[in-house]
Amino acid sequence: MNQNIMQIIGQALDDEISSLVHFRKELDPSIKDCIELILKSKGKVIVTGVGKSGDIAKKISHTLSSTGTSAYFLHPTDASHGDSGIVGADDVVLAIGKSGESEELNYILPTLRKIGAKIVGITANPKSKLASLSDIVIITPVLKEACPLDLAPTSSTTIALVLGDAIAVTLMELKNFKADDFALYHPAGRLGKRLSLYLDDVMRKGDNNASVLETAKLPEILKEITEKGIGATGVIDKNSKLVGLITDYDIRKFLTKKTLTPEVSASELMNGKPSCFLPTDKAYDVLLKMENKERPFSVAPVVDKENNFVGMISLHDLLQKGL
């Protein structure tokens, strides 16, 4: 029984893979025309389809939008009842339909053409009505649906999805879409945070930044570390330049070697060469450096280019941001 299940799964995967390989080998050169049309268009991309093709169209529109190409999913039924007003004369419509004979989809295409939009039909049937209504036709041949009845959209929707991804990726590259652009469109997600958050956004600064003069004595040092709650304090000179860092570890290390008295100064306790970062460093890059150092550290001072002590960053603060 279990072997039979694995055989069925394997066959389904093989059917979809073989259809994808065939699609790749027979890649329709009209895809290039589609890309060039979108690039020179001053409008947005409207992606439409019904049924399973509609689900694929939604995904493609989201992928395009998040990678620098303004896109919108339009349901054909809604378009027939007023939503076609979202379509402009400068827009490009990606209309997806395996058979190319969906009445709901084909019904709206003449209207969209009258508005002035260009139609790119994505279909496995070059003789379909969808193909005849399109300015550009991309043929997506399907060897076999993974469905044992060769009916349920499986291989065909996979091909349409992969084609949509390929179009989005190509547009990204041709538009020189960078990681910072991606972050701009994904501010709340983990990827967006990793790309868009800088130390200046998360570091402790101002009254929350722990600092003492290099002449400060042990009671003042302990008070500052305790009140600021970061387990460390920066050590500065009279010009607010960073000269060192004192952590709980530095105090314990001093205690094992010498007698710890109230007269011990910050300059005696401090690490004079701590790892430092700039406010303009990306938070995620700093997190990796703190975690991956031979001896990981949990807190670090932040200085500007003139070595002014401007903040403190902790591993806890970075992780709390969801990086």
Side-chain angles (χ1 to χ4, degrees):
M1 180 67 175
N2 288 339
Q3 185 61 31
N4 188 43
I5 290 173
M6 295 307 294
Q7 288 176 346
I8 295 171
I9 290 172
Q11 185 60 56
L13 292 173
D14 288 342
D15 287 341
E16 297 217 15
I17 290 169
S18 61
S19 285
L20 271 176
V21 170
H22 177 69
F23 171 64
R24 174 65 182 89
K25 288 180 179 178
E26 303 295 326
L27 198 59
D28 191 334
S30 295
I31 296 172
K32 180 174 179 288
D33 298 330
C34 170
I35 295 292
E36 290 174 345
L37 179 63
I38 294 173
L39 283 174
K40 70 180 183 181
S41 168
K42 296 179 181 178
K44 56 193 175 295
V45 176
I46 304 295
V47 195
T48 185
V50 295
K52 304 298 186 297
S53 293
D55 293 332
I56 297 300
K58 287 180 186 178
K59 193 275 179 186
I60 292 172
S61 70
H62 294 325
T63 300
L64 287 167
S65 291
S66 68
T67 54
T69 300
S70 181
Y72 180 83
F73 170 71
L74 178 64
H75 194 287
T77 302
D78 293 335
S80 299
H81 295 276
D83 280 11
S84 56
I86 194 69
V87 181
D90 294 324
D91 294 344
V92 175
V93 176
L94 300 183
I96 305 171
K98 177 192 173 184
S99 71
E101 299 297 345
S102 167
E103 291 185 11
E104 302 100 314
L105 178 60
N106 291 334
Y107 182 77
I108 66 168
L109 296 184
T111 298
L112 303 186
R113 293 190 73 174
K114 286 180 182 178
I115 291 172
K118 297 295 184 183
I119 311 295
V120 177
I122 299 174
T123 179
N125 185 2
K127 297 181 179 180
S128 63
K129 187 172 182 180
L130 170 58
S132 69
L133 291 170
S134 301
D135 298 289
I136 296 172
V137 182
I138 300 174
I139 303 302
T140 53
V142 181
L143 285 180
K144 182 183 182 299
E145 298 286 14
C147 165
L149 302 176
D150 198 20
L151 294 174
T154 44
S155 299
S156 57
T157 48
T158 299
I159 289 172
L161 179 63
V162 170
L163 173 60
D165 287 342
I167 290 171
V169 168
T170 303
L171 290 168
M172 281 180 70
E173 188 162 339
L174 294 176
K175 291 180 176 184
N176 200 29
F177 191 84
K178 301 295 186 182
D180 287 340
D181 300 313
F182 188 88
L184 182 64
Y185 295 132
H186 300 76
R190 173 168 285 191
L191 284 174
K193 289 177 183 178
R194 288 180 175 182
L195 291 168
S196 63
L197 275 181
Y198 294 85
L199 282 193
D200 192 52
D201 301 316
V202 295
M203 70 184 188
R204 303 192 186 198
K205 49 190 172 181
D207 292 338
N208 294 319
N209 187 23
S211 68
V212 295
L213 288 169
E214 54 190 330
T215 56
K217 303 302 182 184
L218 183 61
E220 182 183 348
I221 295 167
L222 293 176
K223 182 174 182 290
E224 184 71 359
I225 291 175
T226 302
E227 287 183 351
K228 298 302 167 61
I230 197 172
T233 181
V235 182
I236 57 175
D237 63 17
K238 61 182 180 180
N239 297 314
S240 296
K241 306 289 185 183
L242 182 75
V243 295
L245 178 73
I246 300 173
T247 66
D248 294 337
Y249 171 77
D250 294 314
I251 295 173
R252 292 194 303 271
K253 185 173 69 172
F254 187 92
L255 182 59
T256 61
K257 295 180 179 179
K258 300 178 182 179
T259 302
L260 194 63
T261 70
E263 297 305 310
V264 172
S265 67
S267 59
E268 294 176 90
L269 287 171
M270 71 182 188
N271 169 12
K273 294 182 178 180
S275 295
C276 298
F277 299 102
L278 295 169
T280 52
D281 288 338
K282 286 190 175 179
Y284 183 61
D285 292 341
V286 171
L287 172 65
L288 293 180
K289 289 177 182 177
M290 293 176 76
E291 286 186 324
N292 296 331
K293 200 168 181 181
E294 186 175 343
R295 197 184 79 184
F297 53 101
S298 60
V299 64
V302 183
V303 296
D304 62 18
K305 292 181 179 179
E306 284 74 45
N307 199 45
N308 293 305
F309 181 44
V310 295
M312 193 91 81
I313 189 67
S314 77
L315 200 59
H316 175 76
D317 291 340
L318 293 170
L319 293 172
Q320 204 170 42
K321 286 293 182 179
L323 297 173

